[in-house]
Structures are given as structure tokens and as C-alpha cells.
Amino acid sequence: MKSIQQLGDFFIFSWQAFAAMFRGGFDRRNWRLLIPQLYEVGYRSLPVILITGAFVGMVIAVQAVEQFRAMGLEERMGTLVNLSVVRELGPVLAGIMLAGRIGGALTAELGTMNVTEQIDALRSMGVNPMRYLVAPRVLACTVLTPTLTFFADFTGAAGGWFVSVVVEGVPAGPYWDFTQQSVTNFDLYSGIFKSVFFGAALGLIACFCGFNCRPGASGVGKACTTSFVISFIAILAIDFVLAQILQDIQLSIYGFQPVL
Amino acid sequence: MPPYDPPLIELKHVSKRFGKLVVLDDLSLSLNRGETTVVIGESGTGKSVMLKHIVGLIRPDEGEVWFDGQRIDQLPERDLVPIRKRMGFLFQMAALFDSLTVGENVAFPLTEHSKFDQAKIDEIASEKLRMVGLDGLQERRPGQISGGQKKRVALARAIALDPEVVFYDEPTTGLDPVRADVINELILKLKRELSVTSLVVTHDMVSAFKVGDRVVMLDRGKIIADHKPDWFKTCDDPRVRRFVDGKAGPEDLEALEND
């Protein structure tokens, strides 16, 4: 019962956040609020995102190379590695990485502001915390998660190439030729498309948990844990639903295309 | 007969529950212009909750809140903005924004609500900081100043827009007696110089006697006494007496005995 009520509260919160975003977007004074968030979410996340992407690509290649070699298909490795990276693992793991790094930090920041009455102080001064705090954070997450996913895809492909071609000696020419044949723009953009939703979800969930944080240090800690766990599950659930929809769209446009 | 001067703020039969806990119980209170009203009472009797009702941070379950002839308890947040600009709120824990410097904190209401340019805003901010005796600390962060200084900065921020009414939520709690008296003097100074209406929530009797024109005592969400400060010095109601003298009641002592 309580959780249904909270779900309702969350949707009202999300609605208010988007309303504040669109209304506030026309006022130039609000833009200065966005810049520090873009810096924090985007620039400061870049290193971990690059590392995450690289390891994802490398580990797929390591796992796959022996199986492919046994079947004599090692030249087609690029298809598996790059398709997995851009369609699924790049966006999802980048999203989860950001849920941990950004989501946790946002919840802790807003939670602390909440328990020290700073959010009440904003409201008492006639400033809408949705516009001042939530909108720039959610917007930064929504815009930059897909951008960072591009980077994760890039290092993922590089990591896969490194293990397959440099370490395992798969010939580079066919590796990239087969990749080019099988990985389409649709695959790349479907991954990026999904990550827009991951970003919005993790931003909204993090802000919501911070705003509904219970008092005290333990309250903030608990809110951070809740925020991460819910973001994690939300990302996987959204991924499942969107993967299904995108698959159907791809099939209806291009028909079935065997990739291997 | 003087012309009818309606009270600036009126709570009419306000009740508020959190879950099963009744925090405010059919409470009615009106504040007159230019007066400093002090609300005293034990912790957890609904003093802060009452304060937050007047600013619209908490909505009543029943009853009405009026400000300057306008009912405000049902107004949406956006329509509360012009009213909140006329109010200043000093929070119990100061509630300075950690991400901003002291100067930016004081300038915050001006940056958000005024059309002044940056130079003018800085000038007003340092004037307000001078009033609380802290001009020159503009570049510090809230983490780099003491608790008493934080409260004074928060007070400077609360009066940045020259409000008609200032609410103080336990302004002297957690300060040493000297710092506490500095805050008391500031409250008196603001009343004198800006003729603001004030509502002070406190359990510091020294402060209550010093700044109050009128003292209201709350107990379990109800008003049990509403008089001039002097009345409290001589009254013989046991609940009021205990609070004013700072003595534990028989049931509190009994609880200790049974441990």
C-alpha cells in the first residue's frame, strides 16, 4: 500500500520536474544552474565511463575468442563483440555506472540539503526547488548519459579490438569488415536511445530519494542505497521493455537479418 | 476609537496530524503588526510546525491560515511566492546553502527576486551583513564559520528583501550565552530599525523575556497561556511555572526513579 503511494508520489514528482524543466528552459537565468551539473555529471564521469566501456569490450572478447576459434569463426568475432557493446552492454553498464556515481552523489547532496532544512529554506524564500535543484540535475543526466554512452561504446569497441586483434591475433581486416557488415546504425542508435531513458530515470530517482530522505546521517545513507538499488532495477526493466520494442521496430523495417 | 487594524497573521482553528500524532490541536493565534510574539513550549509541542504553517511549508489538515487579509493555506506554491517575499525565515540550523559562499547566500533572495544589477546586489548584501556584524566574511564558505556566525548570516539572508515579518525558529539554541544575547540584540535592532513584525519560537526564557512583547505558551498543540512577559514571572500555573523555571515535572522524575 505504502509503495503504491510512493510510486504515485514519484510520478507526480517526475511530472513537476519536467514541467519545471520546460518552463524554466526559456529563462536564461536558469542556464547558469545547469553548467555546474553538466560539469559534474559529464566531465567528471568521463574517466570511469571510459574504463567501464573498455573492460566490457575486453571481457566479451576474452570469453568469446576460444569458442569462435574452435568453430573456425574467429574472423567474425567483431560482430559479436561490437554488437553486444553498442546494443546492450555499453548503454546498460554506463547507465549503472552513472547510477552509482551520479545517483549516489545527487541523493546524498539533496538528502543532506533536505535534512538540514535547506530545501525548506529555498521554498520559504519563494524559490521553487523543482526549478532550482531538480530540473538542472535531471536535465544534465538525461542529456549526458547518452553522450557518455557514446564514449563507453567507443572504448568498448577499442577494448574488444585490443583483446581480439592485438592479444589473440585475430586478423584485423576481416574483424572490421564483418563488424561493418553486421553492426548497423540502427544498432548503435537503439543503444543510445535507450540510454536517454536510463539517464532520465536515474536522475529522477536520485532526486526523488534525496527529497524524501529521512532525518539524520543514517537517513541520508539509506536514501543513497535505495536510490542506487531502484535505479539499477529501473535501468534493467526499462532496458527489457525498450529492447523488445526496438527489436520489433527493427524487424518490421529491415526483416530478420542473421548477423553471424 | 482607532481604525480597525486587522492582524498581519492569523491562524484559525488549525489542526495538524503526522500519522496518529496530533501536533497542532485546533490552534488559533493572531499576530499584530510591529509586535514581537514569542512562542515557548517544550520540544515536540508543535512550535516549529506552527511556524512552518504560516510560511506554507506545511499545510493544515483543518483550519485556515491568513496573511494580511488573504487566505494562504490553500494557495499553490507559485501564488505563495509574492507572500513569501514579504517574509523572512531564520531556520533552526541556519540552513545556509553549502554550495554558495556567505556573500552569495545573503545575496540569494536578491539574485532570485530583484531586478538589481550585481553591484547593487553586492552592496545590499554587505549592508545586511554589516547589520549582523559580519561584513567582510563574504568569501567564506558556510563550513568555515562558527555556529553563531552561521545564524547571523542566515539572519542577514532572511532580511535581504526587507521583509515585513521575520520568523525565528530557535534563534539562540546551541549558542553560548554571549552569542545568544547578540542574537537577541539583533532581533530588537531589526524591530527598532526596520519595524518588522516578529515571531520567535524558542525555549530560552532569557531570550523570551528580553525580546518578547507578548509570550504564548504551547503544550501538546494547544495554547495554554498568552500574556505579557511579566505575567510569566509571577504566574502560578504549575505547567507554566515548571517551564519558566526549568524544572523537571513529577512524572519526569518518576520515570527516572523507575529505571
Side-chain angles (χ1 to χ4, degrees):
Chain A
M1 193 60 219
K2 190 131 184 261
S3 55
I4 294 173
Q5 194 189 341
Q6 279 179 330
L7 193 66
D9 289 345
F10 175 73
F11 283 113
I12 294 170
F13 182 89
S14 307
W15 165 251
Q16 289 173 337
F18 280 110
M21 227 183 276
F22 288 115
R23 257 204 316 268
F26 296 105
D27 189 346
R28 285 184 69 139
R29 292 193 311 164
N30 292 330
W31 298 0
R32 75 195 148 84
L33 299 172
L34 187 60
I35 292 161
Q37 301 307 326
L38 293 175
Y39 174 77
E40 185 60 36
V41 175
Y43 181 76
R44 303 258 308 223
S45 300
L46 198 54
V48 289
I49 286 296
L50 294 177
I51 293 168
T52 308
F55 276 107
V56 169
M58 289 186 336
V59 82
I60 302 173
V62 166
Q63 300 270 2
V65 69
E66 291 305 326
Q67 293 294 328
F68 275 72
R69 192 171 279 152
M71 292 186 286
L73 291 173
E74 61 201 78
E75 294 182 344
R76 291 175 177 260
M77 281 236 345
T79 301
L80 175 87
V81 171
N82 292 311
L83 210 51
S84 315
V85 166
V86 300
R87 252 168 88 148
E88 203 50 47
L89 292 170
V92 169
L93 286 171
I96 285 169
M97 189 71 224
L98 289 172
R101 206 196 96 80
I102 302 302
L106 285 186
T107 307
E109 185 192 8
L110 296 181
T112 309
M113 288 187 75
N114 188 14
V115 300
T116 55
E117 297 181 310
Q118 291 179 48
I119 294 178
D120 275 350
L122 273 177
R123 289 174 61 203
S124 81
M125 287 186 269
V127 173
N128 180 0
M130 283 295 172
R131 172 184 72 78
Y132 192 79
L133 296 173
V134 177
R137 284 167 175 77
V138 174
L139 191 59
C141 290
T142 312
V143 172
L144 288 176
T145 306
T147 316
L148 289 164
T149 300
F150 257 117
F151 285 95
D153 285 352
F154 177 77
T155 53
W161 163 83
F162 177 75
V163 170
S164 310
V165 176
V166 180
V167 179
E168 297 290 343
V170 176
Y175 181 89
W176 290 119
D177 284 345
F178 279 114
T179 300
Q180 211 171 2
Q181 279 169 32
S182 52
V183 183
T184 60
N185 278 342
F186 188 91
D187 295 314
L188 176 63
Y189 291 123
S190 70
I192 302 296
F193 178 74
K194 288 193 289 191
S195 69
V196 176
F197 292 85
F198 300 163
L202 75 89
L204 285 168
I205 291 169
C207 292
F208 181 75
C209 288
F211 268 54
N212 290 282
C213 171
R214 298 197 168 277
S218 71
V220 177
K222 220 172 260 172
C224 289
T225 313
T226 314
S227 160
F228 178 65
V229 171
I230 294 180
S231 298
F232 195 124
I233 292 170
I235 287 172
L236 295 178
I238 292 170
D239 183 50
F240 175 77
V241 173
L242 290 180
Q244 192 76 53
I245 294 171
L246 289 164
Q247 176 113 314
D248 291 346
I249 293 174
Q250 192 172 25
L251 284 175
S252 68
I253 297 175
Y254 302 101
F256 175 71
Q257 306 272 346
V259 290
L260 282 177
Chain B
M1 222 175 95
Y4 176 63
D5 185 19
L8 186 59
I9 292 162
E10 255 187 304
L11 296 170
K12 293 181 184 171
H13 306 287
V14 170
S15 294
K16 181 71 187 176
R17 274 177 297 275
F18 290 127
K20 288 208 172 89
L21 183 72
V22 179
V23 184
L24 296 181
D25 185 5
D26 194 28
L27 181 117
S28 296
L29 177 70
S30 51
L31 301 187
N32 300 323
R33 282 168 215 271
E35 224 177 52
T36 300
T37 307
V38 178
V39 176
I40 58 172
E42 290 170 35
S43 303
T45 48
K47 303 185 302 286
S48 296
V49 173
M50 185 197 77
L51 212 51
K52 288 183 177 174
H53 272 87
I54 303 176
V55 198
L57 293 174
I58 301 179
R59 309 280 171 146
D61 293 335
E62 284 160 47
E64 300 173 3
V65 182
W66 290 70
F67 179 80
D68 200 13
Q70 189 184 5
R71 185 169 176 190
I72 60 168
D73 56 284
Q74 290 171 327
L75 286 182
E77 287 278 312
R78 213 181 315 171
D79 296 338
L80 279 172
V81 172
I83 291 164
R84 284 171 172 166
K85 278 163 51 177
R86 297 165 63 187
M87 303 171 166
F89 200 124
L90 175 63
F91 283 85
Q92 199 171 335
M93 291 175 285
L96 296 177
F97 304 123
D98 310 310
S99 54
L100 305 179
T101 63
V102 165
E104 288 166 338
N105 262 290
V106 178
F108 183 83
L110 296 158
T111 327
E112 286 297 321
H113 292 303
S114 75
K115 299 250 181 292
F116 298 135
D117 59 17
Q118 195 56 47
K120 178 76 179 160
I121 288 176
D122 289 341
E123 188 194 316
I124 299 174
S126 56
E127 179 199 318
K128 301 295 175 191
L129 277 171
R130 202 173 313 124
M131 279 193 81
V132 299
L134 290 176
D135 194 16
L137 291 188
Q138 271 90 334
E139 296 309 314
R140 299 273 189 92
R141 295 261 161 194
Q144 297 168 320
I145 58 178
S146 73
Q149 287 174 327
K150 272 187 205 170
K151 286 214 166 154
R152 281 147 73 192
V153 172
L155 186 52
R157 182 178 69 179
I159 58 171
L161 289 173
D162 297 324
E164 294 159 51
V165 44
V166 180
F167 303 103
Y168 302 86
D169 192 357
E170 306 202 356
T172 55
T173 303
L175 302 181
D176 66 65
V178 178
R179 296 277 162 244
D181 199 51
V182 172
I183 299 278
N184 291 336
E185 290 292 345
L186 272 171
I187 296 174
L188 291 171
K189 182 173 164 186
L190 288 178
K191 187 191 166 193
R192 213 165 44 230
E193 291 178 10
L194 306 173
S195 61
V196 293
T197 307
S198 311
L199 180 57
V200 184
V201 159
T202 188
H203 38 227
D204 173 357
M205 285 315 296
V206 179
S207 168
F209 286 134
K210 181 155 185 176
V211 303
D213 297 318
R214 169 188 173 197
V215 179
V216 174
M217 180 158 177
L218 279 193
D219 187 43
R220 293 181 201 123
K222 277 183 180 300
I223 293 175
I224 59 165
D226 180 355
H227 296 279
K228 299 262 171 228
D230 288 338
W231 182 87
F232 286 82
K233 290 179 182 158
T234 53
C235 116
D236 47 14
D237 180 313
R239 282 181 299 180
V240 177
R241 203 63 265 148
R242 272 207 305 276
F243 187 83
V244 173
D245 297 342
K247 293 242 165 62
E251 57 268 41
D252 300 317
L253 292 173
E254 206 173 303
L256 287 177
E257 296 290 323
N258 292 344
D259 258 359

